[in-house]
Every structure is written in C-alpha cells, then in structure tokens.
Amino acid sequence: MSSVGAMTSPTSGASAASKAPGVTSVDEVLALVRARGGRATASRRILLEVLFESSDHRSVEDLASDVQARAPEVHLSTIYRNLEELERLGVIAHTHLGHGPATYQLATSAHSHLVCECCGRRFEAPDELFAELARQASQRYGFSIDPRHFAILGRCANCVQEQEMASSGG
C-alpha cells in the first residue's frame, strides 16, 4: 500500500494538516505546542517520537504500549490528553477503520481508506475518489466532509470473487 499523503483537495475542508503546515519533526511539534501556550513535557515528547517512528495507523493501546515501554510512569489518561491536544493543533488525525478502535497517525500522512468487511484488507484511497462526494455534499447540504476520518466498508475483489464462486457452486 502506498502512502497518498495529506489531503489537499476540496474533500478535506479545513483539514487538520492545514492547522500545522510543514510540521516534520518532534522538535517542530513541541515548538508549535509552546507557541500555542502548551508545555513540552517528557511524556508528550515520547508520544511524538513513537508517532514519528511509525508509518502505520496506531490505536491508543498500541501507542500506550510503546510509550510505557520507554516511560512506564506515563498513564493512559496522559496519552489520551496528549492525543486530544495534538489533534486539536492539527499535528495528528484519528481515523475509524471499520469495527476496531480509532487509530492515530501524523496529519501529514492522513489519507482515506477502503476496508474489506470480509478479510479486513485495507486500501489507501486517493483524494480524487471522494471529490464528487465532497462536491455533492457541499452543493446540496452545505456540508464539508473529511473522508480521512472514516473508512468506506465493502468487499475487496478477492472476497467478491470467492463469494461469487461459492454462490455458483464452483
């Protein structure tokens, strides 16, 4: 799966990435936090390091495990508060990828998803796929969608083919 990158099309509305443009390192994020009146705590630094080291979607539990491996005294509530603040600043984005827990990643890496309900396979969807949906939602309802926030559930080609073979008795 290739990374599509941050949303820049009209589908994103006021995307999280636009709040913290060009933030590419832990130190830059901590400078942004300080500039917005926050504190650059050790627990926040460790969480950011974990996020910057990961290229995948991470649940709170996954992030907590990695943070607590480095600093066992960091409580889960601290991780949740830091994630909330980092999302408010536009540094990270959370996504719902089907039936599991919400996942987090850097906003500069956020992208849309298609998820197979049968096998769980995930596909990164290009921004253009949601352009017409975004246009229609805006035009008809004055509504700006953020397709990075959720996954479109369905069936992948392999699962469709398997189901068709099973249905035909093949």
Side-chain angles (χ1 to χ4, degrees):
M1 291 185 266
S2 66
S3 179
V4 176
M7 299 290 290
T8 55
S9 71
T11 60
S12 62
S15 74
S18 68
K19 294 181 190 174
V23 178
T24 59
S25 72
V26 170
D27 289 331
E28 287 179 11
V29 173
L30 292 175
L32 175 65
V33 167
R34 284 190 295 270
R36 303 279 173 90
R39 293 180 27 222
T41 63
S43 59
R44 187 168 285 160
R45 176 177 285 282
I46 293 167
L47 176 60
L48 285 166
E49 289 170 356
V50 168
L51 285 162
F52 272 92
E53 290 166 6
S54 177
S55 61
D56 200 12
H57 301 273
R58 307 289 306 278
S59 69
V60 173
E61 292 76 18
D62 293 338
L63 292 167
S65 176
D66 287 353
V67 168
Q68 291 168 341
R70 299 177 192 189
E73 71 281 1
V74 177
H75 294 275
L76 187 58
S77 61
T78 301
I79 293 168
Y80 272 106
R81 279 193 306 276
N82 277 299
L83 289 171
E84 185 177 292
E85 177 65 12
L86 293 170
E87 188 168 18
R88 188 182 68 74
L89 292 174
V91 173
I92 63 169
H94 81 272
T95 303
H96 300 276
L97 297 176
H99 302 295
T103 61
Y104 295 83
Q105 71 181 108
L106 296 172
T108 55
S109 300
H111 47 267
S112 302
H113 302 86
L114 304 174
V115 177
C116 180
E117 293 178 294
C118 299
C119 69
R121 187 169 176 203
R122 264 192 338 226
F123 302 86
E124 293 181 7
D127 298 351
E128 302 80 45
L129 186 63
F130 296 99
E132 181 60 20
L133 174 62
R135 190 182 70 70
Q136 288 289 328
S138 177
Q139 204 171 53
R140 290 183 181 185
Y141 307 105
F143 194 83
S144 175
I145 66 168
D146 181 2
R148 300 169 309 148
H149 185 76
F150 60 90
I152 300 294
L153 301 178
R155 282 175 274 159
C156 69
N158 290 341
C159 291
V160 167
Q161 184 178 18
E162 286 178 14
Q163 185 178 23
E164 288 172 353
M165 288 176 39
S167 296
S168 67

